[in-house]
């Protein structure tokens, strides 16, 4: 199988080539068509097997790119959030898609400014919830991704995530 078989936007194929990817990994081959069809999905694969591109590429392909926040990715740790944000930025570069990374222990004002300009937010649960509860950001994403969901449950983030869901459209 080849990435071209997914019929992704030319800007995404360009980014895939630039990243040096030659063929989809198994989790990508399985997930990308399902997400492109608009279905919800739970995917499980080892670390380092390309899960970021497995959700990132099809979602980037479907985004309207109208300047609003269209995608919310929730990650258990700041390190993972930064890594995912970098990877999505790399794929979205030729579509001019901006990402904002939201995590604790750093300036609120800078993150709020970045969110206002972003189409994709990659966040850890605690800081995201702070910003939502304090009405510092308002978002209506069309896609929500729970990255390393099992890890987030192990870390006790279930209640935070349920509360975050109260701030995004039910559908
Ligand atoms: P991830 O599991 O998403 O953290 O990806 C692990 C690493 O594999 C990252 O450096 C990705 O850029 C890279 N990667 C993801 N998909 C592919 C692919 N199809 N071919 C080669 N490298 C890939």
């Amino acid at each position: 199988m080849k990435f071209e078989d997914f019929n992704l936007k030319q800007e995404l194929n360009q980014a895939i080539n630039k990243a040096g990817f030659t063929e989809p990994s198994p989790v990508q081959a399985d997930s990308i068509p399902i997400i492109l069809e608009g279905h919800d999905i739970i995917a499980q694969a080892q670390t380092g097997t390309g899960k970021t591109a497995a959700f990132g590429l099809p979602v980037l392909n479907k985004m309207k790119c109208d300047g609003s926040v269209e995608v919310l990715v929730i990650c258990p740790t700041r390190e993972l959030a930064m890594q995912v944000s970098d990877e999505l930025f790399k794929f979205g570069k030729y579509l001019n898609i901006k990402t904002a990374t939201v995590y604790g222990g750093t300036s609120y004002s800078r993150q709020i400014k970045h969110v206002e300009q972003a189409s994709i937010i990659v966040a850890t649960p605690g800081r995201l919830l702070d910003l939502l509860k304090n009405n510092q950001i308002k978002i209506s994403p069309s896609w929500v991704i729970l990255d390393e969901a099992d890890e987030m449950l192990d870390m006790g983030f279930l209640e935070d995530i349920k509360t975050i869901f109260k701030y995004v459209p039910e559908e």
Side-chain angles (χ1 to χ4, degrees):
M1 176 164 220
K2 289 190 157 54
F3 277 104
E4 287 77 36
D5 298 336
F6 297 127
N7 289 318
L8 298 171
K9 288 175 183 165
Q10 175 262 323
E11 290 90 341
L12 288 173
N13 284 327
Q14 200 179 340
I16 291 165
N17 286 335
K18 182 95 193 298
F21 297 4
T22 50
E23 60 180 48
S25 69
V27 70
Q28 292 165 356
D30 288 344
S31 309
I32 291 174
I34 297 172
I35 301 171
L36 285 174
E37 281 177 15
H39 300 293
D40 285 341
I41 182 172
I42 298 175
Q44 192 175 18
Q46 295 284 328
T47 302
T49 51
K51 275 177 284 176
T52 315
F55 69 74
L57 291 172
V59 165
L60 281 161
N61 196 66
K62 290 174 83 75
M63 284 172 68
K64 290 196 293 250
C65 307
D66 61 2
S68 66
V69 173
E70 296 184 70
V71 182
L72 171 63
V73 186
I74 308 177
C75 298
T77 65
R78 167 189 177 142
E79 289 69 30
L80 184 65
M82 291 195 289
Q83 202 181 306
V84 167
S85 198
D86 285 351
E87 186 89 346
L88 295 179
F89 174 76
K90 190 169 79 180
F91 296 134
K93 200 164 75 176
Y94 302 110
L95 291 166
N96 289 318
I97 285 174
K98 293 198 171 71
T99 62
T101 323
V102 165
Y103 48 78
T106 179
S107 149
Y108 279 79
S109 56
R110 243 188 51 192
Q111 288 182 353
I112 294 164
K113 218 170 83 195
H114 285 158
V115 168
E116 282 164 0
Q117 297 163 354
S119 310
I120 300 178
I121 298 180
V122 186
T124 54
R127 173 60 66 95
L128 176 63
L129 196 50
D130 273 356
L131 294 176
L132 291 169
K133 274 185 171 165
N134 296 329
N135 272 321
Q136 285 167 302
I137 60 168
K138 272 201 165 51
I139 53 172
S140 290
S142 302
W143 291 272
V144 177
I145 293 120
L146 302 178
D147 199 5
E148 301 201 353
D150 52 348
E151 183 75 13
M152 287 201 280
L153 295 182
D154 284 346
M155 290 168 76
F157 282 134
L158 180 60
E159 286 311 312
D160 278 358
I161 289 168
K162 280 184 176 167
T163 313
I164 288 167
F165 279 5
K166 290 188 183 146
Y167 289 89
V168 303
E170 199 171 334
E171 65 277 21

